[in-house]
Amino acid sequence: ESVRLQPRIERHSSANERNQRLDQEVVDALVDAGIYRMWMPKEVGGVELSPTKSLQLLANVAYADAGAAWVLMATGLATGTTGAYIGDEAASVIYSDEGFGLIAGQGTRMGLATSVDGGYLLSGDWQFASGIKHARYIHTAAVIAETGEPRIFTLPVEQAEFTDNWDVIGLRATGSIDYSIREVFVPEAWTSRVGVQEPARGGSLFRLGTMNFAGICHAGWTLGLARRLLDEVAEQARAGKGRAGQRKGNGGFHKEFAEIEGRFRAAEALVFQTWQGVEQTLAKDESLSTREETLVRLALTNLTETGLEVANFALRATATLAIRNGVVGRYIRDMMTGATHLTSSQPVTEAIGRELLGIQPEHHWVFGDYVPQG
């Protein structure tokens, strides 16, 4: 289905970037095709799509439009995992025929929640709310003042104030604007624990937890984007366009393309190998081991670095065509911007190394951090 939608999605890609939001036709097409239900529990009308199929779906959308794929992965993650981990009272409202809508927000920068009778008073300022312009609910993180416990809070978008300030070099189509919440009451049932891997509803897929779902998101996105850049370079060479066309008879260029193609395919293979192993664990209805969670992060960070290499190669290979308005330039800028996400940050990569070395055996992964157990 995602392949069938590619021409329709791509047709709006330039306008999406210009308007800093997805065209409603794109959102409606993804909703109508059931794609936004990929990670929702079956009990609330979802599909519970496997990790490897999810990777391919996201890659297909990213190949057509990286901005649309970023919005899909961000809102798909929030819409799906909220259904798995939130309380019954909230789920019955959010996933009803009248209540169902996309969920978006920010889960890494913490706000503050004060305990009151029946719930919490939530306040905070958040950035990078990808897809929020298309959402009905906000999914946002805060620390409970009395206990220090981090939780995810879900509430209607009308209860937040938004700042339309998405002035960036890449991923402009995502409209990842800032938002603020001040002393808004959120009932207990509309919250869930950060890092929970025992779902309230849904199958073994939700033993992944939110952060491992993010690993699927960013890997699938990068796979589609890098593949598109390599294909664009090859197409320009064959057509005799620009610098790639000028160099299509150059042996050094042939060698360089072969090497970057090989690095991309190796990174792609590691991603799928890793997630195939994860699927075997989930099939036994088990949670991931610490080493499996490390490998998920390793596969993503390795792919992200490879994606950056692809983008740099595409810039050199297409030269002035890349700096003009068009697919190659947009995808290069989107890759450079997407690579700054915390899931592939230096602290995460350093922690991956510590776990692989075995020098902190009593640690485990909590969200994006590698911390002592207990």
Side-chain angles (χ1 to χ4, degrees):
E1 187 68 13
S2 57
V3 173
R4 183 183 66 81
L5 290 175
Q6 281 180 324
R8 193 172 178 183
I9 294 169
E10 184 169 1
R11 187 165 64 245
H12 296 280
S13 57
S14 294
N16 291 343
E17 181 176 59
R18 184 171 59 252
N19 297 329
Q20 297 190 14
R21 61 179 298 149
L22 302 189
D23 188 275
Q24 193 59 42
E25 181 182 339
V26 174
V27 178
D28 290 345
L30 294 170
V31 170
D32 293 345
I35 290 176
Y36 272 112
R37 295 178 179 267
M38 60 183 173
W39 295 326
M40 284 167 48
K42 292 180 180 178
E43 291 95 316
V44 294
V47 177
E48 299 187 27
L49 194 65
S50 72
T52 52
K53 289 181 178 178
S54 299
L55 286 166
Q56 192 58 63
L57 185 154
L58 289 168
N60 290 341
V61 177
Y63 192 92
D65 181 9
W70 190 279
V71 171
L72 170 61
M73 74 178 195
T75 53
L77 184 152
T79 304
T81 58
T82 296
Y85 305 126
I86 206 167
D88 290 340
E89 175 189 324
S92 67
V93 174
I94 293 171
Y95 299 97
S96 67
D97 290 340
E98 293 183 358
F100 176 71
L102 302 181
I103 305 173
Q106 224 277 12
T108 55
R109 180 177 178 179
M110 297 288 181
L112 186 68
T114 304
S115 299
V116 294
D117 187 30
Y120 307 90
L121 289 179
L122 176 65
S123 297
D125 301 291
W126 292 267
Q127 298 176 309
F128 308 117
S130 300
I132 199 72
K133 295 180 179 181
H134 310 289
R136 182 173 292 181
Y137 299 98
I138 289 176
H139 158 107
T140 202
V143 172
I144 299 174
E146 293 79 9
T147 65
E149 178 195 0
R151 292 185 79 86
I152 299 293
F153 296 78
T154 304
L155 60 158
V157 293
E158 293 82 9
Q159 294 181 312
E161 295 182 3
F162 297 94
T163 304
D164 204 347
N165 59 347
W166 191 235
D167 185 13
V168 288
I169 64 169
L171 290 176
R172 294 179 63 83
T174 66
S176 304
I177 59 177
D178 296 359
Y179 63 98
S180 300
I181 297 171
R182 293 288 179 268
E183 296 289 304
V184 171
F185 176 70
V186 181
E188 174 73 29
W190 288 69
T191 74
S192 61
R193 292 186 295 111
V194 168
V196 62
Q197 295 182 337
E198 295 292 336
R201 61 196 64 79
S204 61
L205 177 67
F206 299 102
R207 287 185 175 276
L208 288 176
T210 304
M211 198 62 180
N212 290 318
F213 269 106
I216 300 174
C217 287
H218 291 273
W221 180 82
T222 306
L223 287 171
L225 189 150
R227 181 70 268 161
R228 180 63 183 272
L229 279 172
L230 288 169
D231 288 353
E232 289 289 328
V233 172
E235 182 179 343
Q236 289 187 16
R238 290 191 299 270
K241 293 171 58 178
R243 180 175 291 177
Q246 294 168 5
R247 298 184 66 199
K248 72 176 183 178
N250 183 294
F253 175 64
H254 303 163
K255 178 176 180 291
E256 190 177 6
F257 187 87
E259 289 172 344
I260 194 66
E261 179 77 28
R263 288 198 291 275
F264 169 71
R265 287 177 181 266
E268 180 183 45
L270 178 59
V271 168
F272 278 98
Q273 179 192 66
T274 300
W275 282 103
Q276 286 163 0
V278 168
E279 287 182 359
Q280 293 174 9
T281 297
L282 297 179
K284 294 182 286 188
D285 201 26
E286 297 177 356
S287 296
L288 274 61
S289 67
T290 299
R291 174 53 56 90
E292 285 177 305
E293 291 204 56
T294 299
L295 293 177
V296 164
R297 289 160 173 79
L298 176 65
L300 174 58
T301 56
N302 179 65
L303 176 63
T304 302
E305 288 300 315
T306 304
L308 285 171
E309 291 179 9
V310 169
N312 281 321
F313 166 75
L315 177 61
R316 296 194 309 272
T318 61
T320 55
L321 285 177
I323 66 174
R324 296 185 183 278
N325 187 34
V327 172
V328 175
R330 183 170 68 249
Y331 272 63
I332 290 172
R333 288 186 284 104
D334 286 351
M335 184 67 241
M336 297 296 183
T337 304
T340 65
H341 196 272
L342 70 86
T343 49
S344 296
S345 63
Q346 182 173 332
V348 172
T349 308
E350 291 175 356
I352 290 169
R354 291 196 297 275
E355 198 285 323
L356 291 173
L357 285 165
I359 59 178
Q360 291 180 324
E362 302 303 319
H363 284 53
H364 67 150
W365 292 100
V366 175
F367 215 57
D369 300 319
Y370 189 56
V371 298
Q373 297 187 38

